[in-house]
Amino acid sequence: AKAEVNLEVVVLDSTHVAVRFEGDPGGLWEFGDVVVKGVPESFHDVVNRAANIRNGDPFHPRTVRDATDDIRALRLFRRVKVDLVPDDDHTLDFVCDLSERDHRSVEFGIGYMTDDGLLGTAMWEHRNLFKAGRGFRIFGTATQYRQLLESSVTFPALFRSPTTGIGSVGYERRVEPAYESTDIRTSYFLSWRYNRRGTITGGPQLQIIDLIEKGDDPDIPQEIFEIDGPITSLILEWQYDNSNDPIFPTRGYRVNWDHQLAPPGLKSVSTFYRMGVGISGYHRVRRRTVLAGRASVGVGWPVADSEALLINYRYFAGGSNTHRGYKRERLGPKDSEDNPQGGELAVLTGAEIRFPLWKVFEGSLFLDGGQVWLNRSNASFGAFSWAVGPGLSIRSPVGPIRFDYGIRINPP
C-alpha cells in the first residue's frame, strides 16, 4: 500500500549520466475496521454488509472502489466519502463519512399510446421506513386493458454487498379481447448484482388466478377456457445492460433472459414452463446517427398432466414495442371471433436507423419482422411477417415521444 521509489543520478561525463532506481514495495497491508460516521447507528450494520470488508482482508484498491460503489448503490446516502486511515503497522481502517438523504419520494405519470390508450402511473417510496435501510414501495399503473397495484419491502445487502431481498404482494386485473383475469400474487426474490451492469434475480411466486377465456374455438383445448385457483412457480431472470444511456443509448447492448417454471408436485391448477430471451444493440454511425437492432424469442409449453399453456401465459405480439405492422396483439393466431389467442412460441426481430432532423426532432426508418405460433411444433420462419416504415421522435426530459407508421410488406 505504501511503495517507495528512490532515484539516484550519477554524472559520468559531460554528455552521459547513469540513472539508478531503487524500489521498495513495502510490506503487505491489511484492512482493519470499517468505521461509519455521520449517520445514525441503525445504518452501521447495513453499511458494513455493503462494504463487505473484513478485518484482516488484504488491501487492494479495487476492493476500496467496489465497496464505495456498493454503499452508493444502497440509495440511502446523499454523500459518500471514504478515507483510508492507518491504524497500526500495515493496517488501514476503511472510514465512511456519510450524509443521509431524504428517503421519501413520490412519482406520478400520465401518457397516451395508440396501443393502450391513456396510461396512468403512481408510486410512493420510503427507502428507510423500517430502519436499517429496509424500505417500502407501493406502485400502481392502469390502462383500459390492465390495472396493477403492488407493494414491496426491500432488504438491502441481505447476505453480502450486492444481494437484495424483495418481498412483494400485488393485485392485477386484465381485460383483453380474448380473456379476462384477476391475479393476486405474493413473491420473495433475491437479487444479486454481480457487477455494475449485470443482475440475477430469482425466487418463488404464489398466484391465485381467476381466468375466463371469451372465445369458443374448437382448436383450443377446453382446459384454458376457465381456470380458478393457485399457481406456484419459480422465477429466474438475468439482466445485463452495457449501453451508455438508459433513455437515449447510442452504443452498447442489453440482454434479458427469464425463466418461469410451475412444476408438478407444488400447489398449482396448471403446470408449465416459459423462457424468454431478448437482446438489443446500438451502434453510433455518425455523431447523432444511430443504428439500433433487436431480437427476441419467447417459448412455453405445458408440463406433466396439463394439456395446454394458459392463455394469460402465452406470447402475444403486435404494436409499437413488438411489431409495428400490426395493431396491439394482432400478430399471430386468432379464434373464430377474430380474438388474438397468443401462442407457445413468438419470434421477433427489428432494425432501425435513427438520425437528427432539427433540434429535438429525430427521424427514423425501421424494419420489423416476426410471428407467433399457437403450437411451437408448427413454427416456420417462412411464415414471418415483415413491415417497414418511417418514424418521428421528439426528445423530451422524460424520454422520447414517438410516432411510427408501419407498412406490411407481405400481408396475410
Side-chain angles (χ1 to χ4, degrees):
K2 289 189 176 182
E4 294 183 357
V5 177
N6 296 316
L7 172 64
E8 182 182 359
V9 180
V10 178
V11 179
L12 300 179
D13 54 40
S14 60
T15 58
H16 295 82
V17 297
V19 181
R20 182 181 181 185
F21 293 93
E22 290 186 357
D24 181 7
L28 295 177
W29 286 71
E30 298 178 345
F31 286 106
D33 297 326
V34 175
V35 180
V36 182
K37 299 164 56 178
V39 292
E41 189 174 347
S42 60
F43 285 111
H44 290 197
D45 187 46
V46 70
V47 172
N48 271 273
R49 294 199 306 271
N52 197 31
I53 294 175
R54 298 174 178 84
N55 197 312
D57 284 351
F59 171 83
H60 196 285
R62 181 182 297 175
T63 304
V64 177
R65 185 183 68 244
D66 291 345
T68 305
D69 289 343
D70 289 337
I71 293 172
R72 288 196 176 102
L74 294 173
R75 300 171 60 229
L76 297 171
F77 310 111
R78 185 175 67 251
R79 178 175 61 89
V80 177
K81 182 182 178 183
V82 170
D83 290 317
L84 298 175
V85 179
D87 184 21
D88 52 33
D89 190 29
H90 298 128
T91 300
L92 294 170
D93 286 342
F94 183 87
V95 180
C96 307
D97 189 0
L98 308 174
S99 178
E100 189 175 357
R101 66 181 297 180
D102 187 353
H103 301 295
R104 291 164 295 187
S105 59
V106 179
E107 296 179 7
F108 296 96
I110 188 169
Y112 178 81
M113 299 177 65
T114 53
D115 294 341
D116 297 325
L118 285 174
L119 165 69
T121 62
M123 186 274 292
W124 180 87
E125 182 180 29
H126 193 306
R127 285 175 287 272
N128 194 42
L129 183 64
F130 303 109
K131 306 302 180 184
R134 294 185 290 267
F136 177 79
R137 179 178 184 266
I138 185 167
F139 170 80
T141 183
T143 69
Q144 61 178 319
Y145 300 109
R146 177 176 179 257
Q147 301 85 46
L148 171 68
L149 181 64
E150 186 175 66
S151 63
S152 60
V153 179
T154 56
F155 303 85
L158 192 61
F159 303 117
R160 55 191 299 270
S161 55
T163 306
T164 301
I166 307 169
S168 66
V169 177
Y171 170 83
E172 182 180 25
R173 177 175 179 265
R174 298 187 72 102
V175 181
E176 299 287 351
Y179 70 92
E180 294 184 8
S181 68
T182 58
D183 174 1
I184 299 173
R185 70 186 72 159
T186 183
S187 63
Y188 188 82
F189 295 151
L190 292 178
S191 180
W192 176 42
R193 186 172 58 88
Y194 61 90
N195 62 28
R196 297 181 184 182
R197 300 184 179 276
T199 304
I200 297 174
T201 303
Q205 176 177 266
L206 172 63
Q207 299 170 268
I208 306 297
I209 68 166
D210 185 0
L211 170 66
I212 299 176
E213 186 176 0
K214 299 176 183 177
D216 190 18
D217 195 320
D219 294 331
I220 308 298
Q222 185 67 29
E223 179 178 346
I224 68 173
F225 284 159
E226 186 169 355
I227 290 288
D228 183 4
I231 290 182
T232 304
S233 61
L234 304 174
I235 295 175
L236 181 65
E237 182 175 13
W238 172 57
Q239 292 181 324
Y240 188 85
D241 188 348
N242 193 39
S243 62
N244 64 329
D245 190 283
I247 301 177
F248 301 106
T250 59
R251 64 177 183 274
Y253 61 92
R254 298 168 181 170
V255 182
N256 185 84
W257 189 15
D258 61 83
H259 306 259
Q260 183 177 11
L261 172 66
L266 299 180
K267 189 68 174 177
S268 291
V269 294
S270 180
T271 53
F272 59 88
Y273 173 72
R274 299 171 79 238
M275 185 273 289
V277 60
I279 183 170
S280 57
Y282 311 91
H283 176 69
R284 183 163 54 193
V285 181
R286 298 179 61 185
R287 181 170 173 266
R288 286 182 58 192
T289 301
V290 178
L291 178 64
R294 59 178 173 83
S296 65
V297 177
V299 62
W301 57 84
V303 300
D305 296 332
S306 294
E307 296 181 5
L309 186 64
L310 298 184
I311 190 171
N312 58 325
Y313 292 108
R314 290 177 177 263
Y315 293 94
F316 292 81
S320 60
N321 293 320
T322 54
H323 196 305
R324 284 166 282 190
Y326 291 82
K327 293 183 178 180
R328 181 181 184 272
E329 299 186 352
R330 300 299 297 176
L331 176 64
K334 302 174 183 65
D335 63 15
S336 57
E337 299 180 3
D338 201 39
N339 292 320
Q341 286 296 298
E344 292 183 344
L345 175 64
V347 180
L348 298 166
T349 186
E352 182 172 296
I353 185 76
R354 304 168 184 169
F355 47 86
L357 293 176
W358 179 68
K359 293 187 177 181
V360 297
F361 293 90
E362 294 183 347
S364 64
L365 296 172
F366 65 83
L367 170 68
D368 286 351
Q371 189 55 268
V372 178
W373 293 271
L374 182 63
N375 297 305
R376 66 189 188 280
S377 58
N378 297 331
S380 169
F381 290 103
F384 256 44
S385 179
W386 297 93
V388 297
L392 174 68
S393 64
I394 304 172
R395 284 181 173 247
S396 75
V398 294
I401 301 172
R402 286 174 36 203
F403 303 90
D404 298 311
Y405 186 79
I407 304 169
R408 297 180 202 169
I409 299 175
N410 56 339

